[in-house]
Structure formats: structure tokens, C-alpha cells
Amino acid sequence: GEDVEQSLFLSVREGDSSVINCTYTDSSSTYLYWYKQEPGAGLQLLTYIFSNMDMKQDQRLTVLLNKKDKHLSLRIADTQTGDSAIYFCAEAPGTDKLIFGTGTRLQVFP
Amino acid sequence: DTAVSQTPKYLVTQMGNDKSIKCEQNLGHDTMYWYKQDSKKFLKIMFSYNNKELIINETVPNRFSPKSPDKAHLNLHINSLELGDSAVYFCASSPQGVEQYFGPGTRLTVT
């Protein structure tokens, strides 16, 4: 079935690293995504990874993919208060649609 | 600015009314989508269109009717609005189905 799970909350101190985890169930997903949603705003595509890769780095963001365990993570280095938002992972199981996770609310405190 | 835009940003209406939400993208993308985000922030696809042709219809009540007059526009018409339709509706577009770019959302409140 289509079920993407994330922990609901994460709280980190400014300057620390944040790691947001996601598990998905559809092994046919070709791409896996991370989106950011700030309060009252739309979704911003942060990064995505092709399913035959196991890591992708983009400035402060590192995506790790464990295809065997269907586990995706997003690491944010040197987390800033501006990173406070809801982070959604999403899978694309061979079709145009995105199946979103439940979202992780990241709170960064000084 | 190049972007996905939606109007209106906020829509408050009574049960039983009919309303429309408009979406436009000037990114030259072929595929457009509607997603619904409920009060718990759960996001689910409703429809997708590729070059004005309906591709995905995710068991949405037929009170919801998307219309794509051209590939830059995808509008959503909702008949006989119900309380449960209250949500944020997001439009998105994609060049080839890999990267999807979202609009700012339309917050619909049905009273």
C-alpha cells in the first residue's frame, strides 16, 4: 500500500544538526523527495534523490537513502531558526503523483 | 516572476454553495496537479492533468471538477460545498513529472 511515515516533532538547538527520518512502503518509487512548508506558505522543493543513489548532498542538506529498509533521511547541518518549518518526505511510485508523509514539525530554539 | 499562482488565497463560503479556485503557471510545464491538505497537514493528491488531459483522479467526489482550458491553467470547481471540504488546496506543476512546484495554496473554509 501507499504509506509514508515520519515522526511528528523534532526540536533542536540552533547550530546543531537536525535529522528527519521517513519510512516508505512502495519499493517501486523512482524518486524520493523532501519538501519544506513554512507557516501559511506553500511547499518548497528542497531536494530529491533518485532511487539508485544512496546519498545526495546539497549545501547544508544531506539525503540518505536505504532502499533495503525503505528509509529516507534528511540531515540539516548547522540548523538555523529559519529552518523551523514542517518537512515532508514524499515518494513517487512510478506515476506522476506524489505520496506525502505525515510531516515532521522542526522547531529550532536558540 | 515565474511561478505557480493561485486565486483566491482565502475563500470563506457557506455549505451548499459552488466555488472555483484558479491556478496558473508560467513555467511552461506540461503537467499540473491539485492536492488537498487537511487540518492535520496531511497532503493528498486529487487530480493531475498533462497537456490538458486528465491523468489522475484519486477517488475524489464528483462534486469536484477540474478544468484545464490550456496547459498553463488548471482550475478546480467545487459544487455543493460541505463542511469536510474545508482545507488548503494546493496547485502544482511539473515539467516531466519529476520535480513538482507548488503554488501558495488556497485556504477554503466552509461554514
Side-chain angles (χ1 to χ4, degrees):
Chain A
E2 299 169 342
D3 198 7
V4 183
E5 294 187 354
Q6 302 177 234
S7 52
L8 288 180
F9 297 101
L10 177 64
S11 184
V12 299
R13 188 181 299 277
E14 193 174 15
D16 287 352
S17 293
S18 308
V19 179
I20 302 171
N21 294 303
C22 170
T23 57
Y24 61 98
T25 57
D26 195 325
S27 57
S28 69
S29 291
T30 309
Y31 293 94
L32 294 133
Y33 302 81
W34 285 104
Y35 280 84
K36 175 183 180 183
Q37 185 178 30
E38 297 185 49
L43 285 94
Q44 175 194 351
L45 176 61
L46 286 177
T47 186
Y48 62 95
I49 188 167
F50 188 48
S51 59
N52 70 352
M53 298 170 63
D54 50 23
M55 188 183 92
K56 180 178 179 181
Q57 185 155 2
D58 184 0
Q59 299 182 340
R60 291 191 298 122
L61 305 179
T62 303
V63 178
L64 295 178
L65 174 60
N66 181 330
K67 206 172 172 185
K68 174 176 166 289
D69 294 339
K70 298 190 188 74
H71 184 264
L72 182 73
S73 68
L74 174 69
R75 178 177 180 270
I76 306 173
D78 187 24
T79 313
Q80 304 296 306
T81 53
D83 295 323
S84 294
I86 301 177
Y87 289 80
F88 292 94
C89 65
E91 61 177 348
T95 65
D96 274 351
K97 66 183 180 182
L98 293 178
I99 309 296
F100 281 92
T102 46
T104 298
R105 189 179 295 271
L106 173 65
Q107 183 179 17
V108 183
F109 59 93
Chain B
D1 280 355
T2 55
V4 181
S5 59
Q6 296 178 227
T7 53
K9 189 167 172 61
Y10 300 97
L11 182 55
V12 181
T13 188
Q14 291 185 327
M15 282 174 53
N17 284 348
D18 304 337
K19 290 293 178 187
S20 291
I21 306 171
K22 296 188 176 184
C23 178
E24 176 182 2
Q25 55 93 5
N26 59 6
L27 299 163
H29 293 168
D30 286 333
T31 309
M32 295 184 72
Y33 311 80
W34 279 109
Y35 287 84
K36 179 181 179 181
Q37 185 174 44
D38 66 21
S39 58
K40 295 181 180 173
K41 302 295 186 186
F42 185 67
L43 271 153
K44 190 171 169 64
I45 186 150
M46 300 173 70
F47 301 102
S48 82
Y49 269 72
N50 182 278
N51 212 1
K52 302 196 299 174
E53 182 183 341
L54 180 65
I55 302 298
I56 294 174
N57 181 340
E58 283 284 306
T59 60
V60 176
N62 57 16
R63 296 183 296 105
F64 290 79
S65 52
K67 285 192 172 49
S68 182
D70 55 61
K71 76 173 195 175
H73 295 85
L74 180 62
N75 303 323
L76 183 64
H77 188 76
I78 316 170
N79 288 328
S80 302
L81 277 154
E82 300 177 358
L83 292 176
D85 298 331
S86 295
V88 181
Y89 292 84
F90 286 102
C91 177
S93 73
S94 175
Q96 292 171 345
V98 175
E99 300 174 22
Q100 291 190 23
Y101 296 91
F102 283 73
T106 295
R107 182 176 292 277
L108 171 65
T109 303
V110 182
T111 62

